[in-house]
Amino acid sequence: MKHYTVTFKPDEKKVSVHAGCNLVEAAGLAGIVLNTVCGRKGVCGRCSVILEPQHKTVLACQYHVESDITIFVPHSSRFAEHKILTEGAARNGTITPDIYKKYVADAGGRAIFGLAIDIGTTTVVVKLMDMKTGGVLATAAGLNPQTKFGYDVISRIAYASEGQNLGELNKLIVDCINGLIAECCAGANAGPVDIYETCVVGNTTMNHIFLRLPISQLGQAPYKAYSLDARDLSPAEIGLNVNPKGNVHCVANIAGFVGADTTAVAVSAEFDKAGQMSLAIDIGTNGEVVLGTKNKLYSASCAAGPAFEGARIACGSHAVDGAIESVVLIDNELDLEVIGGCEPRSICGSGLIDVVAVLLDMKAIDSTGRFTNRRGIEKMGDTTAFVLARGDKDEPVVYLTQKDIREVQLAKAAIRTGIKLLEKRLSISDADIKQVFLAGAFGNYIRPQSVMRIGMLPNVPIEIIHSIGNAASSGAQLMLLSRDNRTLAAELAKKIQYVEIAQDPQFESVFADSISFPA
C-alpha cells in the first residue's frame, strides 16, 4: 500500500501514513489529539485544520490522506490537558482495612499496596494506597484516550458496537491505566509487584469496555446492561501491570446509564445512613441523580448533553488553560477568572453557568432565555451574542450566542426534570430535601448561587448544598480497603431503584416547564 508524509504545523512533526488514512488518526500518530466532540461524525466542527499552502479549512475527521500534505492545527482544534479533580469527601467514622490480610503470606513482610481507580468518560484517576493503613501514597490522573472517538458514552457505544472496536477501546483504557500505575509507582518508590488489590469504578459503559462485555445493547431501548453485578478477576484477565497473584474488583452498577461510579458516590455520601431526604447529583453529559433516604432510594440518568463539557458552545471548551471558569458581577462590571492566569480563549462549564446567571441578574436575558437590548450584546454576523472578552484589535474572542443560551436551557432542564420526576416518585417537594450533594469535578467548581439562579437545582436553602468533589474516587478507596464497604456497595446498588425518566408520561410537560429560567 502506498504511503504519504503528513507534516503538522506549528509542531513541525512528520508522520508516514498509508493512503486513505483519516487525518484524526494521522494526528494521533504525531502525538496530537484533536477535538472530536461528535465522535468523528463531522457535525461539531471542532477538528477544523488548515491545508497549506491552499489555506483551505477542512474537518480532520472527514479528510483522508491521498498525497503528501502539510497541515496547520489551530489551538482551538486541539484537545488540551485540563483540570482534573482527584480528591473527594469520604464517609465519617473508622474504616477497618481487612482485605490486605489475605496477602500477608505472599508479601513476606513487604508492604501491601492497592489501587483505587475511577474510570471517567473524560478523565481517569488512579490512587496508590497502603492496604493496611489506608494512606494514599501517590495519585496520577489523565485524559481517557477513548475521547478521540467521542466525548459521550453514546459515541463510545456506537463505535464499540462495530467489528473489533470494543477490543481497541479496551486496550486504550488498559494501556492508559498501566501508564498511570507506573507514574504512581515512580512517585512512591514502589513496584507493580507490591500492588495486590485493585478496585475499579466507572459508569456502566466504561465498566463494560474495561471488562470487554457486550455493549451494543446499552445503545438500544430498553438500554439494559449485560451485567450489573460486581466482579472479581485476576490481573492477567484484565491486562493490568500489578502482582499477578492479586485481584481486580469491579464495583456493581445500578442500571444501564447509572453505573458503579454512582454506587461509589452513594457509599461515600453515606446514603445507607441518610435519615433525612438527600439528593446527590453528578452533573455532566449524562447527569446522574440519586434521591431519597436510607429507607427508599431512586436514581435517574439525565441526558443533559455536552454543553457543560464545552461542546456545542461557540467558544466552549473543557477546563483548560485560557478557559474562563468563573464570572462574577462586581459594581456592575464583569470579573473573569481564567484558568492558567492567561488571556481568555474559551469558556468552560462552570464559567458558562456563571455567565448565564450574571446575564439573568443584569436582565440581559429574560426568563425565556432571549437576549434583551442591554450593554454587552451585539450583532455578530447572523447571530446575536454577549461579548465576554476581546482581543488586541477589539475583536470578540470569547462570547455567548443566543444558541449557546438555548443549549444551557436544554441541559439544565434535563437535570431539573430528572429531579422533579424522582420527587414525584417519592411524593415530596423541594422543601422536603434537607441536603444536596454536588459530586464530580463540575460539581466541585460550579458556584451553588449560579446553579440556583438558572433553576437547575431544587429551590432549597443554599447552605444545605455541599460540593463533595470526586466522591466516586473516594468511594473506590473505601471499597479497596474493606470487605464491609464492598458488601455495602453491592447492597446499595440493588436498593437504589432506577427510573427511566424518558418513559414517564409526564416527562415532556415537566421538561417544557423546566426550560425557562426563574424570573
Side-chain angles (χ1 to χ4, degrees):
M1 179 179 291
K2 194 165 185 178
H3 283 68
Y4 298 107
T5 299
V6 182
T7 303
F8 292 94
K9 290 187 173 182
D11 310 73
E12 299 301 334
K13 292 183 177 179
K14 295 184 179 184
V15 293
S16 177
V17 300
H18 62 78
C21 178
N22 183 274
L23 202 49
V24 171
E25 296 171 359
L29 293 173
I32 301 169
V33 182
L34 299 178
N35 275 318
T36 50
V37 176
C38 61
R40 301 206 272 186
K41 295 184 179 69
V43 295
C44 71
R46 293 297 177 88
C47 64
S48 297
V49 297
I50 301 169
L51 300 183
E52 293 187 344
Q54 306 97 312
H55 298 292
K56 178 182 178 181
T57 299
V58 299
L59 295 180
C61 69
Q62 302 298 303
Y63 190 89
H64 297 274
V65 180
E66 298 295 347
S67 64
D68 294 336
I69 52 173
T70 298
I71 304 293
F72 178 81
V73 184
H75 183 275
S76 59
S77 296
R78 298 169 185 260
F79 190 75
E81 291 287 339
H82 67 289
K83 291 170 68 175
I84 299 173
L85 184 66
T86 59
E87 303 300 328
R91 296 174 69 90
N92 294 317
T94 303
I95 301 167
T96 304
D98 56 7
I99 291 177
Y100 82 92
K101 293 178 181 178
K102 65 180 180 179
Y103 300 115
V104 170
D106 283 329
R110 289 173 60 89
I112 299 170
F113 297 155
L115 299 168
I117 301 175
D118 174 20
I119 305 176
T121 309
T122 305
T123 59
V124 183
V125 178
V126 174
K127 289 185 176 289
L128 179 67
M129 302 182 68
D130 186 312
M131 292 291 293
K132 185 175 181 180
T133 67
V136 176
L137 305 172
T139 300
L143 296 173
N144 187 329
Q146 299 168 357
T147 51
K148 65 183 179 181
F149 298 107
Y151 290 174
D152 59 273
V153 295
I154 299 299
S155 298
R156 311 276 177 88
I157 292 168
Y159 185 78
S161 299
E162 298 178 3
Q164 303 299 311
N165 293 350
L166 176 59
E168 179 183 1
L169 292 182
N170 170 266
K171 186 176 186 304
L172 281 173
I173 193 60
V174 171
D175 287 349
C176 170
I177 291 171
N178 280 333
L180 296 175
I181 292 172
E183 189 176 327
C184 282
C185 286
N189 194 26
V193 71
D194 300 316
I195 302 171
Y196 289 88
E197 192 75 18
T198 300
C199 181
V200 181
V201 302
N203 63 49
T204 312
T205 299
M206 295 301 102
N207 168 273
H208 280 40
I209 292 174
F210 181 71
L211 295 172
R212 296 189 70 165
L213 298 178
I215 199 172
S216 60
Q217 75 287 340
L218 284 175
Q220 304 166 4
Y223 313 109
K224 296 291 186 182
Y226 178 83
S227 173
L228 297 176
D229 297 333
R231 291 180 176 235
D232 289 277
L233 304 95
S234 71
E237 290 178 88
I238 299 295
L240 289 189
N241 186 23
V242 296
N243 193 303
K245 295 181 180 179
N247 176 65
V248 180
H249 178 76
C250 296
V251 176
N253 299 298
I254 295 170
F257 283 110
V258 181
D261 50 353
T262 303
T263 304
V265 170
V267 170
S268 186
E270 300 185 306
F271 268 82
D272 56 300
K273 297 180 180 179
Q276 54 187 354
M277 193 59 62
S278 303
L279 171 68
I281 315 168
D282 191 341
I283 303 170
T285 302
N286 296 290
E288 291 90 14
V289 177
V290 177
L291 177 65
T293 68
K294 62 183 178 181
N295 298 318
K296 184 174 285 187
L297 292 165
Y298 287 101
S299 69
S301 175
C302 312
F308 296 143
E309 301 285 350
R312 297 181 188 166
I313 303 299
C315 299
S317 73
H318 286 290
V320 299
D321 284 350
I324 298 171
E325 65 173 342
S326 174
V327 181
V328 181
L329 190 64
I330 301 176
D331 295 331
N332 208 31
E333 295 292 333
L334 294 181
D335 182 68
L336 309 180
E337 186 170 331
V338 181
I339 298 173
C342 53
E343 292 298 314
R345 293 192 292 256
S346 63
I347 186 166
C348 64
S350 58
L352 183 64
I353 289 181
D354 272 354
V355 73
V356 173
V358 165
L359 291 175
L360 285 165
D361 288 341
M362 292 171 57
K363 300 191 183 305
I365 55 175
D366 59 25
S367 62
T368 71
R370 289 179 179 169
F371 280 125
T372 61
N373 295 318
R374 296 278 176 168
R375 176 172 60 91
I377 296 171
E378 58 189 71
K379 292 290 291 183
M380 293 180 59
D382 58 356
T383 190
T384 305
F386 179 81
V387 179
L388 283 162
R390 296 180 181 275
D392 294 336
K393 299 180 181 179
D394 203 40
E395 77 281 8
V397 174
V398 184
Y399 50 86
L400 209 65
T401 69
Q402 185 69 74
K403 179 179 176 296
D404 296 337
I405 302 292
R406 297 301 184 212
E407 291 289 346
V408 172
Q409 287 181 277
L410 292 172
K412 74 99 177 177
I415 300 290
R416 189 70 181 101
T417 299
I419 296 169
K420 286 182 177 179
L421 292 178
L422 291 190
E423 287 180 338
K424 290 179 183 294
R425 289 289 178 119
L426 287 161
S427 299
I428 66 168
S429 66
D430 288 354
D432 295 303
I433 298 175
K434 302 306 179 185
Q435 53 184 354
V436 177
F437 301 111
L438 301 181
F442 192 54
N444 191 70
Y445 293 118
I446 55 178
R447 298 171 66 241
Q449 299 93 327
S450 296
V451 186
M452 294 288 291
R453 182 64 183 92
I454 71 171
M456 185 159 65
L457 293 183
N459 186 19
V460 298
I462 199 162
E463 59 266 20
I464 73 168
I465 301 174
H466 310 284
S467 294
I468 58 174
N470 191 345
S473 179
S474 296
Q477 294 172 57
L478 294 169
M479 289 175 276
L480 171 68
L481 302 171
S482 166
R483 287 191 176 90
D484 287 345
N485 285 328
R486 293 187 185 184
T487 301
L488 172 61
E491 291 172 350
L492 273 173
K494 290 180 179 177
K495 185 174 186 176
I496 298 172
Q497 301 178 54
Y498 176 70
V499 178
E500 183 56 71
I501 58 173
Q503 303 301 318
D504 191 298
Q506 299 182 71
F507 176 82
E508 290 187 8
S509 61
V510 174
F511 186 85
D513 289 342
S514 301
I515 286 181
S516 295
F517 295 116

